[in-house]
């Protein structure tokens, strides 16, 4: 089984400042990793995913994430945030065989301060 | 990626009643997933629904409380039965695959009073 930990439940950031949202995973097998965003009163939208290959993954809205196998991390970054980035961000893991069940972290609420 | 239409988007229900949530996908998919997101919490998988077979429920969820139908490859329903205030949550359906990623419906915000 796998688990996903998002240590920061809330992250306030000034507009145009950089941000990093942390995600660590634990698994006995290799996993695929995802970041989702949930805007207020909406469903989840896929930001980016890591399946294999380059450890730096670029997603939508200027976000990127880096897979670090040795540190079992998949942190999400954006160099300059905007008010519209205010949302809940979820990291998720999926074992790379069979059982297609996503395991989600507890989420990080990103608040952009004007 | 697939597009999911989920309804209703929200509802307020009396305790003891049932609500059926529908998800329609614009393409045929093998598996559909149903999640619950309790207030201020992450997503928890309720069950996986395959067409032509009974849904597979996760620990803590039972068919009597959350019956699921999957009549074809583009549609599924989740019923929340005999509701109590503790069932107040957002319910989401999802489809997808590892390579394409997983798409989620916009969610059903349920309040039980």
């Amino acid at each position: 089984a796998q688990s996903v930990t998002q240590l920061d439940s809330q992250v306030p950031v000034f507009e145009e400042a950089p941000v990093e949202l942390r995600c660590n995973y634990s698994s006995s097998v290799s996993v695929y990793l995802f970041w989702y965003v949930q805007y207020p009163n909406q469903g989840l939208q896929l930001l980016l995913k890591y399946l294999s290959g380059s450890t730096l993954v670029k997603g939508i809205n200027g976000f990127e994430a880096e897979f670090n196998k040795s540190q079992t991390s998949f942190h999400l970054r954006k160099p300059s945030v905007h008010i519209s980035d205010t949302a809940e961000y979820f990291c998720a893991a999926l074992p790379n065989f069979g059982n297609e069940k996503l395991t989600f972290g507890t989420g990080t609420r990103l608040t952009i301060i004007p | 990626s697939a597009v999911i239409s989920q309804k209703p988007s929200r509802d307020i229900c009396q305790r003891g009643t049932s609500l059926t949530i529908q998800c329609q996908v614009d393409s045929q998919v093998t598996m559909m997933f149903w999640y619950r997101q309790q207030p201020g919490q992450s997503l928890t998988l309720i069950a996986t629904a395959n067409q032509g077979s009974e849904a597979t429920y996760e620990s803590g969820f039972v068919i009597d409380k959350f019956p699921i139908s999957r009549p074809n490859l583009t549609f599924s329903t989740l019923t929340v039965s005999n509701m109590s205030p503790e069932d107040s949550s957002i319910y989401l359906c999802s489809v997808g695959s590892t390579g394409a990623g997983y798409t989620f419906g916009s969610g059903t915000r349920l309040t039980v009073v």
Side-chain angles (χ1 to χ4, degrees), chain A residues 5-59:
Chain A
T5 301
Q6 292 180 249
L7 288 174
D8 305 308
S9 60
Q10 298 187 56
V11 173
V13 180
F14 285 103
E15 192 173 16
E16 298 184 3
V19 68
E20 178 180 84
L21 305 184
R22 297 181 292 169
C23 172
N24 287 89
Y25 69 93
S26 173
S27 178
S28 56
V29 300
S30 295
V31 294
Y32 302 125
L33 296 162
F34 305 81
W35 273 101
Y36 284 87
V37 60
Q38 186 177 36
Y39 297 106
N41 298 314
Q42 295 188 29
L44 272 70
Q45 180 180 2
L46 180 65
L47 272 178
L48 48 79
K49 60 183 184 283
Y50 172 77
L51 304 181
S52 64
S54 173
T55 57
L56 182 62
V57 180
K58 293 189 182 298

Side-chain angles (χ1 to χ4, degrees), chain B:
Chain B
S1 57
V3 176
I4 303 174
S5 175
Q6 182 174 344
K7 57 183 180 181
S9 59
R10 61 180 67 238
D11 207 340
I12 300 173
C13 300
Q14 297 289 324
R15 66 176 66 202
T17 62
S18 298
L19 176 71
T20 296
I21 302 166
Q22 300 179 2
C23 274
Q24 178 75 51
V25 189
D26 68 344
S27 58
Q28 294 184 339
V29 294
T30 304
M31 289 189 292
M32 292 182 73
F33 305 89
W34 286 97
Y35 288 85
R36 181 176 72 183
Q37 184 180 18
Q38 294 179 299
Q41 298 190 30
S42 187
L43 283 76
T44 302
L45 182 64
I46 297 171
T48 303
N50 291 328
Q51 192 270 335
S53 63
E54 278 198 10
T56 302
Y57 288 82
E58 298 300 304
S59 176
F61 297 96
V62 295
I63 187 170
D64 289 346
K65 176 66 175 177
F66 298 99
I68 288 172
S69 78
R70 185 80 202 275
N72 57 52
L73 290 172
T74 64
F75 186 79
S76 179
T77 67
L78 169 76
T79 299
V80 185
S81 303
N82 188 24
M83 288 183 287
S84 67
E86 291 70 36
D87 295 318
S88 297
S89 295
I90 300 172
Y91 294 85
L92 301 103
C93 60
S94 175
V95 301
S97 65
T98 303
Y102 290 81
T103 301
F104 286 79
S106 54
T108 297
R109 285 153 183 79
L110 170 63
T111 301
V112 183
V113 297

